[in-house]
Amino acid sequence: MIYSGYEMLWLFFIYSFSGWILETVSAALRQKQFVNRGLVNAPFCVIYGFTAMIVTIFCGELHGFWLFAYGMIIATVIEWTAGHWIERFYHEKWWDYSKIKGNLDGYICLPMSVFWGILCVVVKNWGNPFLVNLYSWIPGILGQIIVWILSGVLIIDIAATLFILAGRSRRIEQWKGVDSWLTGISSGLGRRIYGLIDRRLRRAYPDAREKAEKDSAEVKSNVFAYGCSFYKIIWLFVIGAFLGDIVETFYCRATAGVWMSRSSVVWGPFSLVWGIAIAVATLLLHRYKDRSDHFIFIAGTCLGGAYEYICSVFTELMFGKVFWNYSEIPFNLGGRINLLYCFFWGIAAVIWIKGLYPIMSSWIERIPVKAGKILSWVILVFFCCNIVVSGLALIRSDQRAKGVPAEHTWQNIMDEQYDDTRLKEIYPNALQVN
């Protein structure tokens, strides 16, 4: 089922609020006091809303076991990422599954993953239809105003949180006032539920700033892209995109006997699917480089399969095209992924984390600091422009297939520079979806 933008935002806020209630009740029952478990000050647990949106958008064609399995993987990855993000920025651990067998870093465990999978099935099959039907009862303009107000509050809330944590705004007191007001709303709701107020975030911000400044002073280094930093991720993305294109090109030559472009963009031999995969895999798995090969393989297989499925759905929704189809390969899921290639992702994860990443990381850190930063931003700008132009070319290709005439300048430029013949050379396996 396809939902409108307002309906999607409505679902996001309802699930975020429901998640806030669930987490607050759960934490309060354990700690015997009110605890605001939202990442922001307003009564929203955006992790729930975000996860529900991912499942709604990318799992529309999944049912039964596959919906459960995919939802379980996606929700588990989000929970693991959120746990580490919260610990990094708030210097607190908001949940801990360390006492449960099969946990990872205390942030995820098998029983909770199964629970998330079941919850995703409930959300897609019953929750979404019910909540959208409920939204339809609200008069059109009133429903839109409600969504806009909630969106504005959330944006202001996030801005206040970031400014206070950074401590760099010239109007820090005003932002603290916003923070206090939104925290007061959450506390007021919590008081009605439990009767005890804990303005957690307001008290945590000064400590977070002091710890962040202390950590920053201790970690100073003259090494470029030290650790798994922002600059290193940019370079790993580029390296992964280039190597991925080369690997796929030679693979097609070996299996199909032909040379064909495997690039995702119109400028250069770069496969964005591989580049993003390398960057994300590094962020998620580099801390486990000392774990067994079996662990890395299983994690890479699950994450790679989920990631490839999302990429397939996204390109179809965005550009009206699918760039690969595994329907003729056994054990495929909707032609988007198959078991054999999922195993390839697992093998690639082991090779990358255990073998190639340490070498690449060492090479990157040898780049002079000043030159490295300048080159990183040049690369980032280049890829942003490359992705935008590639996206416009694909969107225009989809329009041409539907008989949409060129009425704007950008459409004429795309028709001249990237007609169907040119795009067929760049994307030989792209299939138009009606």
Side-chain angles (χ1 to χ4, degrees):
M1 185 174 181
I2 299 176
Y3 300 108
S4 68
Y6 285 106
E7 289 172 339
M8 291 294 289
L9 287 173
W10 168 259
L11 292 175
F12 170 81
F13 285 114
I14 292 298
Y15 287 126
S16 294
F17 179 66
S18 301
W20 178 84
I21 292 178
L22 177 63
E23 287 291 325
T24 301
V25 169
S26 175
L29 290 177
R30 291 195 303 269
Q31 301 180 27
K32 307 304 181 183
Q33 62 177 349
F34 169 69
V35 180
N36 182 7
R37 290 294 297 269
L39 287 175
V40 292
N41 302 292
F44 296 125
C45 191
V46 296
I47 297 175
Y48 282 79
F50 179 73
T51 304
M53 294 302 92
I54 294 294
V55 172
T56 300
I57 295 172
F58 295 105
C59 299
E61 60 191 36
L62 297 180
H63 304 281
F65 170 79
W66 290 114
L67 175 60
F68 163 78
Y70 195 80
M72 180 177 69
I73 293 173
I74 291 297
T76 299
V77 171
I78 293 175
E79 184 180 32
W80 181 92
T81 305
H84 282 282
W85 186 89
I86 291 169
E87 184 174 2
R88 177 178 178 181
F89 287 95
Y90 290 91
H91 302 277
E92 295 178 357
K93 199 165 187 176
W94 288 6
W95 63 89
D96 191 356
Y97 303 139
S98 298
K99 296 181 179 180
I100 301 177
K101 290 185 177 180
N103 76 87
L104 183 61
D105 299 338
Y107 285 123
I108 58 175
C109 64
L110 184 59
M112 287 305 301
S113 295
V114 172
F115 171 75
W116 297 134
I118 296 173
L119 199 60
C120 288
V121 173
V122 173
V123 164
K124 178 182 176 293
N125 291 340
W126 297 284
N128 288 349
F130 172 76
L131 292 174
V132 169
N133 185 50
L134 182 65
Y135 181 73
S136 66
W137 294 351
I138 304 174
I141 187 65
L142 178 59
Q144 294 177 10
I145 291 174
I146 292 174
V147 168
W148 276 108
I149 291 175
L150 292 175
S151 299
V153 169
L154 182 60
I155 291 172
I156 293 173
D157 193 357
I158 293 174
T161 300
L162 294 176
F163 278 129
I164 292 173
L165 283 173
R168 296 177 180 176
S169 174
R170 296 180 180 178
R171 300 182 177 181
I172 195 69
E173 293 303 323
Q174 287 90 327
W175 286 115
K176 284 185 177 180
V178 173
D179 173 58
S180 179
W181 171 62
L182 292 171
T183 304
I185 294 176
S186 299
S187 297
L189 291 175
R191 184 188 297 112
R192 293 183 180 182
I193 299 174
Y194 302 104
L196 296 174
I197 301 175
D198 176 21
R199 299 202 172 191
R200 168 189 53 82
L201 291 177
R202 183 173 181 125
R203 293 200 302 268
Y205 290 148
D207 294 338
R209 288 201 304 274
E210 291 174 4
K211 291 179 180 178
E213 292 171 358
K214 181 179 179 181
D215 293 343
S216 177
E218 293 176 352
V219 177
K220 285 183 179 179
S221 174
N222 292 324
V223 178
F224 171 68
Y226 181 78
C228 194
S229 65
F230 168 75
Y231 291 112
K232 181 167 289 180
I233 292 301
I234 291 178
W235 283 84
L236 292 178
F237 164 77
V238 176
I239 293 171
F242 177 74
L243 292 180
D245 183 88
I246 299 301
V247 169
E248 289 205 12
T249 298
F250 278 94
Y251 178 79
C252 290
R253 175 61 181 176
T255 56
V258 296
W259 295 104
M260 67 171 67
S261 169
R262 300 299 296 169
S263 177
S264 304
V265 288
V266 296
W267 301 338
F270 302 107
S271 174
L272 297 184
V273 173
W274 279 91
I276 296 173
I278 289 295
V280 173
T282 302
L283 283 171
L284 295 179
L285 300 177
H286 81 280
R287 68 181 70 242
Y288 305 117
K289 60 183 182 297
D290 296 327
R291 297 288 293 267
S292 68
D293 292 352
H294 295 86
F295 173 86
I296 301 295
F297 173 78
I298 294 174
T301 298
C302 296
L303 293 175
Y307 167 71
E308 189 174 18
Y309 192 95
I310 286 179
C311 289
S312 177
V313 175
F314 174 79
T315 54
E316 183 175 336
L317 292 175
M318 191 70 181
F319 308 118
K321 289 180 172 60
V322 292
F323 293 88
W324 58 84
N325 189 346
Y326 304 138
S327 298
E328 297 181 358
I329 300 178
F331 305 107
N332 74 85
L333 180 58
R336 301 187 186 281
I337 60 175
N338 68 83
L339 186 60
L340 176 62
Y341 283 15
C342 286
F343 287 158
F344 284 169
W345 284 111
I347 295 171
V350 175
I351 295 174
W352 176 254
I353 297 298
K354 293 289 189 177
L356 296 179
Y357 169 68
I359 298 174
M360 296 295 180
S361 177
S362 176
W363 288 354
I364 294 172
E365 290 178 359
R366 294 177 185 176
I367 300 174
V369 176
K370 186 174 181 180
K373 290 182 178 180
I374 294 175
L375 285 174
S376 297
W377 284 105
V378 170
I379 290 172
L380 186 60
V381 171
F382 167 76
F383 268 93
C384 286
C385 294
N386 201 354
I387 292 171
V388 169
V389 173
S390 302
L392 291 176
L394 290 170
I395 291 173
R396 181 56 193 150
S397 174
D398 183 45
Q399 292 178 346
R400 286 197 298 267
K402 296 177 181 178
V404 179
E407 299 178 349
H408 304 284
T409 302
W410 75 269
Q411 293 173 320
N412 291 318
I413 294 176
M414 292 301 111
D415 288 345
E416 293 174 2
Q417 300 296 324
Y418 304 102
D419 56 14
D420 292 336
T421 302
R422 175 68 179 129
L423 289 183
K424 187 64 177 177
E425 296 175 356
I426 301 173
Y427 308 113
N429 288 338
L431 299 175
Q432 183 69 32
V433 178
N434 296 324

